[in-house]
Amino acid sequence: MLEAFTSVPHQTIGEDGHLRPGATFDQTPAQLHELWENMTLVREFDRKLVTLLRQGRTTFYAQASGMEATQIGVARGLRAGHDWVWGYYRDQGIALGLGMPLTEVVAQMIGSNSDLNKGRQMPHHPGSVATRFVSGSSSIASQVPPAVGMAMAQQYLGLDEVTVCTFGDGATSEGDWHAGINMAAVQNAPCLFVCENNQWAISTPTARQTRSESIHVKARAYGIPGYFVDGNDVLAVQAAVKELADGMRAGGGPALLECLTYRVGSHSNADADAEKTYRSRDQVREWTQRDPIARFERFLALQGQEIGSEERSEVVARIHREIEAAVQQAEASGQPDWRSMLDDVYSDTPVHLRHQYEGLRQENGGQKESR
Ligand SMILES: Cc1ncc(C[n+]2csc(CCOP(=O)(O)OP(=O)(O)O)c2C)c(N)n1
Ligand SMILES: [Mg+2]
C-alpha cells in the first residue's frame, strides 16, 4: 500500500538500478522490456519531431525528454482504451504509451488531411476517442474541471472506468486547478490527478510557483490523499497509478499524485532555454545524468536483461523508420480542405460564421457549396 504524504518520493528502483529495500515488482521480463521500448519511443519521438520542426514540416513541439518514466508509468498503470486521460500539451508520451497509433499522433502534429482533428487543433495536441486520450489543452489547467465532470459521470453511471487528469507544476497555481480538485473531492469523483512536476513552468522554478513544501501536500487542503513518487522511476509510477486507479474503480475517491521529474529539453520551440537565460547548465547536466531510461537499463541489466548496444541501435532505427513512415503518410494525405473548417462544430452553424464562411468561399474562387 502506497503511503500518503511522504516527504521523500517513493522509489522502486534506486538511482544505481538496484531494487530499493522492501520494493517488489510483478512484471514479466517481456513486460519490462516493453516498458523500456515505450520509453525509448518517447525519447526518439522527441528527436524526430525536433528535426521536423527545423525542417519546417511542423510548427510547434514540446519535448518530454527526461519525463519518459512519468509518462509511460502513467499510461501503463491504466487500462488502455478503457480509462480516460485528460492530459496536457506535453503528454505525447502518455498518448503513445496508451497505444495511440503513430500515424494519428504524427498527422495531428503536422495538421495534415489525415489528422483526426482535420488540422483544427493547435499542432502537438493529439487526441483520440478510441484511445480515450482527450486532445490536450494549451490553456494551463483548463482540462481539470471537465476531467472532474467526466469522473462524476462515471460515478453516476456506475462505470468501472476512471479518469486520470495530468498537468504540470505550473498548472497548480491556476484557479481551474483548485476549483476542479475541490469539486472532485466534495463529489468523491474517481479522478486521479497526476502532477508531472518537472520543476519548471517555462522559466518559473517550483520555488517561485508555490510556498508549499511540495505539490502533493496541497491535497490536504481538499481533504484527499496526496502521494509522492520518483517520476524518473517507471516502476514506481506505474505501480502507484495502478494502485490508485484500482482503488477508485473499487469505489475510492480522488487522489493527487506528484511525480518528481525534470524537463531536460527546452519548454517548447518558443523558449529561451537554448540562450541559457533562466536555468543553470549545471542543473540541466545533473538531471540529464539522472536519465530515467539509463536508470531502467541499469535495473534491467541487474535482472539479467541487459540491453546491448546492438539491440539499442536496432530498436532506435526501427522507431525512426516507423515515425518516418507515419510522417510520409501524413504528408501524402495533403493539407486539410478549408471547407471542413466548420464541420463537427455546430449542428446549426451560427449566422456570423456562415457569413465568414461565405467570405472565404468568395476569396477561394467562389466554388458552389452544398453547405
Ligand atoms: C492559462 C494560461 N496561462 C499561461 C499560459 C502560458 N504557458 C504555457 S506553458 C506554461 C507553463 C506551464 O508549466 P507547467 O504547468 O509546469 O507544465 P510544463 O510545461 O512544465 O510541462 C505557461 C505559463 C497558458 N498556456 N495558459
Ligand atoms: Mg513544469
Side-chain angles (χ1 to χ4, degrees):
M1 271 279 284
L2 199 63
E3 192 190 333
F5 299 116
T6 55
S7 53
V8 180
H10 286 280
Q11 286 185 327
T12 299
I13 306 169
E15 298 267 359
D16 57 4
H18 282 95
L19 209 56
R20 297 287 297 159
T24 55
F25 65 96
D26 58 9
Q27 290 86 346
T28 63
Q31 287 169 332
L32 293 176
H33 195 274
E34 211 176 311
L35 287 173
W36 173 78
E37 278 205 30
N38 284 172
M39 289 198 288
T40 305
L41 169 61
V42 181
R43 175 74 48 93
E44 297 309 319
F45 194 82
D46 267 8
R47 294 207 167 109
K48 179 70 182 175
L49 265 288
V50 168
T51 305
L52 292 183
L53 267 174
R54 291 182 180 146
Q55 294 171 336
R57 291 154 87 192
T58 185
T59 52
F60 180 72
Y61 189 70
Q63 300 176 50
S65 283
M67 299 165 65
E68 294 90 346
T70 292
Q71 297 195 355
I72 291 303
V74 168
R76 303 307 303 265
L78 296 173
R79 294 200 287 178
H82 190 80
D83 298 322
W84 282 86
V85 177
W86 288 72
Y88 75 115
Y89 51 81
R90 203 180 298 287
D91 276 337
Q92 61 272 17
I94 297 186
L96 293 169
L98 288 171
M100 186 170 169
L102 269 175
T103 46
E104 292 179 3
V105 179
V106 167
Q108 200 288 324
M109 293 187 173
I110 289 180
S112 65
N113 205 17
S114 55
D115 169 24
L116 295 175
N117 295 319
K118 301 178 193 163
R120 292 175 303 199
Q121 173 53 303
M122 184 166 161
H124 188 59
H125 289 60
S128 140
V129 175
T131 311
R132 297 200 164 185
F133 181 78
V134 181
S135 184
S137 171
S138 252
S139 286
I140 305 297
S142 62
Q143 74 276 26
V144 182
V148 174
M150 176 172 271
M152 286 166 62
Q154 288 162 335
Q155 184 189 43
Y156 179 76
L157 296 169
L159 305 176
D160 76 338
E161 55 190 50
V162 298
T163 298
V164 172
C165 178
T166 65
F167 40 81
D169 38 289
T172 65
S173 301
E174 288 285 347
D176 274 353
W177 188 83
H178 298 283
I181 296 204
N182 184 61
M183 186 74 171
V186 293
Q187 297 289 336
N188 208 37
C191 190
L192 175 58
F193 300 101
V194 179
C195 179
E196 300 181 34
N197 181 358
N198 60 15
Q199 308 184 49
W200 288 93
I202 313 186
S203 53
T204 304
T206 349
R208 299 280 304 265
Q209 194 66 247
T210 179
R211 286 285 293 268
S212 296
E213 71 213 38
S214 65
I215 302 291
H216 69 282
V217 75
K218 291 172 186 270
R220 277 195 207 280
Y222 304 100
I224 66 172
Y227 301 92
F228 194 23
V229 296
D230 183 332
N232 280 9
D233 175 350
V234 68
L235 293 189
V237 178
Q238 185 184 26
V241 169
K242 187 170 185 314
E243 181 181 322
L244 298 175
D246 285 348
M248 284 177 201
R249 258 186 273 283
L256 172 61
L257 174 66
E258 174 183 2
C259 302
L260 183 64
T261 181
Y262 193 80
R263 157 172 70 73
V264 297
S266 58
H267 167 76
S268 73
N269 50 309
D271 185 19
D273 182 51
E275 284 83 56
K276 311 178 174 76
T277 48
Y278 62 80
R279 59 180 185 176
S280 77
R281 292 303 100 182
D282 282 351
Q283 187 189 62
V284 178
R285 246 189 312 277
E286 183 204 327
W287 281 90
T288 304
Q289 278 159 11
R290 297 170 75 173
D291 184 345
I293 301 181
R295 191 202 297 198
F296 195 56
E297 287 180 0
R298 288 194 283 278
F299 166 78
L300 287 176
L302 288 164
Q303 301 303 312
Q305 284 183 250
E306 188 163 358
I307 308 284
S309 56
E310 207 171 305
E311 179 180 8
R312 188 182 295 104
S313 310
E314 271 170 25
V315 170
V316 167
R318 171 167 52 74
I319 289 171
H320 279 267
R321 275 197 306 277
E322 286 171 4
I323 305 174
E324 180 58 29
V327 173
Q328 303 259 338
Q329 189 179 322
E331 289 180 339
S333 76
Q335 294 211 326
D337 188 328
W338 65 269
R339 276 164 293 218
S340 71
M341 197 184 301
L342 299 178
D343 289 354
D344 318 318
V345 181
Y346 294 98
S347 62
D348 215 358
T349 304
V351 70
H352 71 286
L353 289 181
R354 268 190 260 148
H355 284 149
Q356 287 180 20
Y357 186 87
E358 182 55 29
L360 261 178
R361 192 179 72 79
Q362 279 168 12
E363 271 176 36
N364 281 278
Q367 302 105 315
K368 187 90 186 110
E369 290 305 321
S370 56
R371 186 176 299 273

